[in-house]
Amino acid sequence: MSRERLYLFDTTLRDGAQTAGVEFSLEDKVAIARLIEQLGVDYIEGGYPGANPVDTAFFEEPRTKKATFTAFGMTKRAGRSAANDPGVMGLVNSAAAATCFVAKAWDYQVELALGSTTDEHLEGIADTVRLATSAGKEALVDLEHFFDGYKANPAYALACVTTALEAGARWVVLCDTNGGSMPSEVRAVVEAVLKVAPGDKLGIHPHDDTGQAVANALAAVEAGVRQVQGTLNGLGERCGNANLITLIPTLCLKPYYAERYETGVTSEHLARLTQISRAFDDRLNRAPARQAPYVGASAFATKAGIHASALLKDFSTYEHVEPESVGNERAIMVSQQAGKSNLLTALARHGISIEKDDPRLEKLLAVVKDREAEGYSYDGADASFAVLARNVLGTLPDFFQVENYRAMVERRHNAMGEEVTVTEAVVKIRVDGELLMSVAEGNGPVNALDQALRKDLGKYSSQIEDLQLVDFKVRILDGGTGAVTRVLVESRDGTGDRWVTIGVSPNIIDASFEALYESITYKLLKTESKDSAADQSTTQLAKAAG
């Protein structure tokens, strides 16, 4: 049975940014785009160039490797050509390979929100799409309020579809903008649209206001659309968008869909689903939903004795898919093997090879679980996991030892009589037995400690010259000023590599220093690994020449 290609369109960086309490920095967007690509999606919509400084900067250069980098914006305004509309030209001149233009498919919205006519709006769709395609961009049109618009005026809604396609749009996306449509309604409307447009040019963009965004996406796919839009963890305004973290495994693992449709998602992509979901929540500084389908900590947890007993005989009695298939694990006593499998996969990512029956693996598993109970989370801090693993396995080089450190914050008046805050840090370390002390000032205790720690690492100083701290996030795990604090530090180097380390402590300075220390250690591990590979290559070439 031949399968039809289904395309996945991620709009986390645009729709997700509309979530209450969520603000993406440029560094956030760059890191999240890389995270999304690990899912194997076909399109990544990065935002609206020209709408704000962050989005404009984000679109100054391509940000994806395989997924089609897509810019979002509006069709041209009435009364001017697309070529003379700054908003349209901002998208066309961006580094995006594709442009997604939003148009209104509900005549009431055209008249109310735009103060225009349906004829003017249809002309705007056509002119905008023609301009984008003539500039070499792949053009998509999101038809906002399509389902409400179809119910009010089917002829106009369908005219929006045909106008966009005739102008050269690759995709026309039917949006359930208010999120109030039922799956049966979505199916019926899509079937009507298929009478004027082919399914391989149609997409669905559902919102979750009735808790049915994923169901509506599946109904649209079953009816005939071949592109689905959604976000990581269902992020989005109001109640959110279709959750790709739920939708993707459903499409890939459930026989009804897996046997009929093909996506760009591989089993390797799926195996990272849980880690990606939790790493994204860590970046948002929020706790992952324990009962999230597929990836939640409780998704494969069994408490009832009779259920656990049945699971011991056959896991499928209370599990609809294997937890390992989505990178999750079984939360019962027999879960140790599943936990080891996940650890082996994570170790392999860092080039660490170990046998499954090695007793050190059992020790590492126990340490990880103990530290997670203390507040550590390695899903979003893979570099810290690499450092921890090598330490427990006994393969972590002893680059340097921290003797002690202190940070001082002083509020005082400067020579101008102005009240200023001065922060100073002192760090003492040993490298090959030699005691090195560094003093540095910063714009806060963490910055000062970072500067002091990196100021003099002896023989390792040259290896961290290109190391930069690019993000710093703090999360309080328990209430109160004496609560346990989790710190995430993101770093990058001159090669463009990025990594995240974690620190946990009741003291925010201690937690921060731990994350900084592990960031430097991970950088030195990276450098050592590359040097070792280079030495091996040189030796092999010498042998071949001899």
Side-chain angles (χ1 to χ4, degrees):
M1 180 180 178
S2 62
R3 298 187 296 169
E4 293 187 63
R5 183 66 159 89
L6 193 63
Y7 293 84
L8 300 171
F9 186 108
D10 184 282
T11 181
T12 302
L13 296 175
R14 199 267 301 176
D15 264 335
Q18 298 180 40
T19 307
V22 171
E23 292 287 342
F24 294 139
S25 66
L26 178 59
E27 295 296 341
D28 284 333
K29 287 209 163 194
V30 171
I32 293 169
R34 294 185 181 188
L35 199 63
I36 295 168
E37 276 216 285
Q38 296 176 32
L39 279 176
V41 300
D42 301 287
Y43 295 82
I44 295 178
E45 186 179 70
Y48 193 160
N52 58 70
V54 170
D55 281 8
T56 300
F58 187 62
F59 281 96
E60 288 177 352
E61 59 184 272
R63 301 293 184 176
T64 60
K65 294 180 179 179
K66 291 185 178 180
T68 301
F69 188 39
T70 307
F72 176 88
M74 296 173 62
T75 54
K76 79 170 189 71
R77 300 175 187 176
R80 66 177 65 185
S81 67
N84 289 314
D85 189 304
V88 173
M89 293 308 298
L91 272 67
V92 171
N93 293 328
S94 75
T99 52
C100 183
F101 298 101
V102 62
K104 293 189 179 296
W106 189 0
D107 56 356
Y108 176 68
Q109 287 279 342
V110 173
E111 297 162 3
L112 178 71
L114 301 181
S116 183
T117 67
T118 54
D119 286 341
E120 286 178 324
H121 200 54
L122 289 172
E123 189 272 330
I125 293 173
D127 189 22
T128 303
V129 171
R130 283 194 295 265
L131 177 69
T133 55
S134 66
K137 304 289 187 181
E138 179 178 334
L140 302 87
V141 176
D142 272 9
L143 293 180
E144 192 178 49
H145 296 288
F146 185 83
F147 293 91
D148 293 311
Y150 182 85
K151 295 170 193 174
N153 186 341
Y156 169 67
L158 292 176
C160 290
V161 175
T162 56
T163 297
L165 291 177
E166 289 168 3
R170 168 64 183 91
W171 294 101
V172 173
V173 183
L174 314 179
C175 303
D176 183 29
T177 308
N178 288 344
S181 297
M182 299 291 105
S184 58
E185 293 176 304
V186 168
R187 185 188 301 274
V189 172
V190 169
E191 289 173 350
V193 178
L194 287 170
K195 294 176 182 178
V196 300
D200 61 1
K201 289 186 177 292
L202 297 177
I204 182 71
H205 181 109
H207 282 251
D208 205 34
D209 295 72
T210 65
Q212 297 181 96
V214 170
N216 282 339
L218 294 173
V221 169
E222 292 171 16
V225 308
R226 292 297 174 259
Q227 187 201 92
V228 181
Q229 297 192 355
T231 61
L232 290 183
N233 294 343
L235 212 64
E237 65 177 334
R238 301 190 313 274
C239 304
N241 289 41
N243 188 349
L244 288 181
I245 297 296
T246 300
L247 187 61
I248 287 175
T250 298
L251 292 170
C252 294
L253 298 177
K254 295 303 177 180
Y256 179 88
Y257 302 104
E259 292 170 1
R260 290 169 171 78
Y261 310 110
E262 178 185 7
T263 69
V265 179
T266 66
S267 58
E268 288 77 16
H269 291 132
L270 274 181
R272 299 205 68 184
L273 192 73
T274 298
Q275 186 265 332
I276 291 168
S277 171
R278 295 177 185 176
F280 181 60
D281 276 331
D282 279 344
R283 178 161 283 279
L284 296 182
N285 219 11
R286 68 180 192 179
R290 293 188 61 85
Q291 292 183 304
Y294 294 102
V295 298
S298 299
F300 300 96
T302 301
K303 186 175 182 181
I306 188 171
H307 294 180
S309 176
L311 274 171
L312 288 171
K313 299 171 183 176
D314 183 353
F315 294 135
S316 67
T317 52
Y318 286 97
E319 293 176 352
H320 66 111
V321 297
E322 294 181 356
E324 298 89 348
S325 66
V326 292
N328 209 337
E329 63 181 326
R330 200 169 285 117
I332 56 175
M333 290 305 293
V334 295
S335 68
Q336 297 302 311
Q337 292 304 312
K340 288 182 181 179
S341 296
N342 288 343
L343 278 184
L344 287 169
T345 300
L347 290 170
R349 285 202 303 271
H350 296 286
I352 302 173
S353 179
I354 186 173
E355 296 298 324
K356 194 169 185 176
D357 57 357
D358 191 314
R360 293 178 300 168
L361 193 62
E362 191 79 40
K363 180 181 178 183
L364 176 59
L365 182 61
V367 171
V368 168
K369 289 185 179 295
D370 286 345
R371 289 174 74 86
E372 286 180 343
E374 294 171 9
Y376 291 85
S377 174
Y378 293 104
D379 293 300
D382 209 31
S384 278
F385 171 77
V387 173
L388 174 67
R390 289 185 180 277
N391 188 33
V392 173
L393 298 176
T395 61
L396 182 67
D398 191 14
F399 295 115
F400 64 97
Q401 308 87 43
V402 177
E403 291 278 312
N404 58 65
Y405 64 86
R406 72 171 183 267
M408 179 185 70
V409 180
E410 182 182 3
R411 187 77 164 170
R412 68 188 185 201
H413 290 86
N414 62 15
M416 304 292 294
E418 300 167 329
E419 197 173 53
V420 296
T421 300
V422 178
T423 305
E424 182 182 271
V426 179
V427 176
K428 293 181 182 179
I429 65 170
R430 285 191 183 274
V431 179
D432 291 340
E434 180 185 2
L435 181 63
L436 303 172
M437 184 180 78
S438 298
V439 181
E441 291 185 349
N443 58 12
V446 177
N447 179 244
L449 284 169
D450 179 40
Q451 297 295 326
L453 182 57
R454 291 194 280 150
K455 196 170 186 178
D456 187 2
L457 274 184
K459 65 181 183 180
Y460 299 113
S461 293
S462 62
Q463 297 181 26
I464 64 167
E465 287 178 347
D466 61 344
L467 177 63
Q468 291 181 302
L469 190 158
V470 295
D471 201 5
F472 175 82
K473 294 185 184 296
V474 177
R475 182 169 166 223
I476 305 301
L477 301 181
D478 300 303
T481 56
V484 174
T485 302
R486 176 192 294 165
V487 168
L488 290 174
V489 166
E490 183 178 6
S491 308
R492 71 178 173 201
D493 61 17
T495 67
D497 287 347
R498 291 168 177 260
W499 58 92
V500 177
T501 50
I502 189 171
V504 174
S505 171
N507 186 309
I508 189 173
I509 303 301
D510 286 339
S512 303
F513 191 85
E514 179 184 11
L516 293 170
Y517 168 82
E518 292 193 353
S519 175
I520 292 175
T521 301
Y522 183 76
K523 167 62 175 173
L524 294 175
L525 280 172
K526 281 179 73 237
T527 305
E528 181 185 70
S529 177
K530 289 180 180 178
D531 290 345
S532 177
D535 290 343
Q536 289 180 8
S537 178
T538 302
T539 301
Q540 290 172 356
L541 288 173
K543 287 182 179 179

